Amino acid sequence: MDPDVEMDPLQLLQEDLRDEDQEEAVAGCNRLPIIAMALGPARTREELLPFLLEYSDVDNDEAHAAIATNLGDFAEVCFSWF
């Protein structure tokens, strides 16, 4: 990866969640507050949250637990955006 090329935070999360290594998926989920802040309120509502809903169909209980924990941690910030 070229260090001068910026990656979209949502694309990085999607790559982490597609990784065969469940620990990598959980690590990506633990970055949700940072990703949401980088995306801003509109992209969080319109892209991140729908993506996470789609991801709920994937069988990875550890990642789902990390998503739930991190959504709770940044819910106050998200609700202040509305």
Side-chain angles (χ1 to χ4, degrees), residues 4-44:
D4 295 330
V5 176
E6 287 189 35
M7 288 288 293
D8 180 64
L10 186 55
Q11 288 177 334
L12 290 173
L13 175 64
Q14 290 169 338
E15 287 179 17
D16 286 345
L17 295 181
R18 285 187 200 111
D19 197 300
E20 294 289 322
D21 182 3
Q22 286 193 359
E23 289 181 23
E24 191 67 31
V26 171
C29 295
N30 285 329
R31 290 189 288 274
L32 281 173
I34 296 166
I35 293 166
M37 293 298 284
L39 293 175
R43 285 194 68 200
T44 296

Side-chain angles (χ1 to χ4, degrees), residues 9-10 13-14 17 29 32-33 35-37 39-57 64 66-68 70-82:
L10 186 55
L13 175 64
Q14 290 169 338
L17 295 181
C29 295
L32 281 173
I35 293 166
M37 293 298 284
L39 293 175
R43 285 194 68 200
T44 296
R45 284 190 309 268
E46 296 166 11
E47 297 176 47
L48 177 61
L49 294 177
F51 169 74
L52 293 174
L53 285 173
E54 287 178 25
Y55 186 73
S56 67
D57 291 338
H64 293 159
I67 290 170
N70 285 288
L71 283 177
D73 288 347
F74 78 90
E76 183 177 313
V77 174
C78 287
F79 289 125
S80 69
W81 291 337
F82 297 111

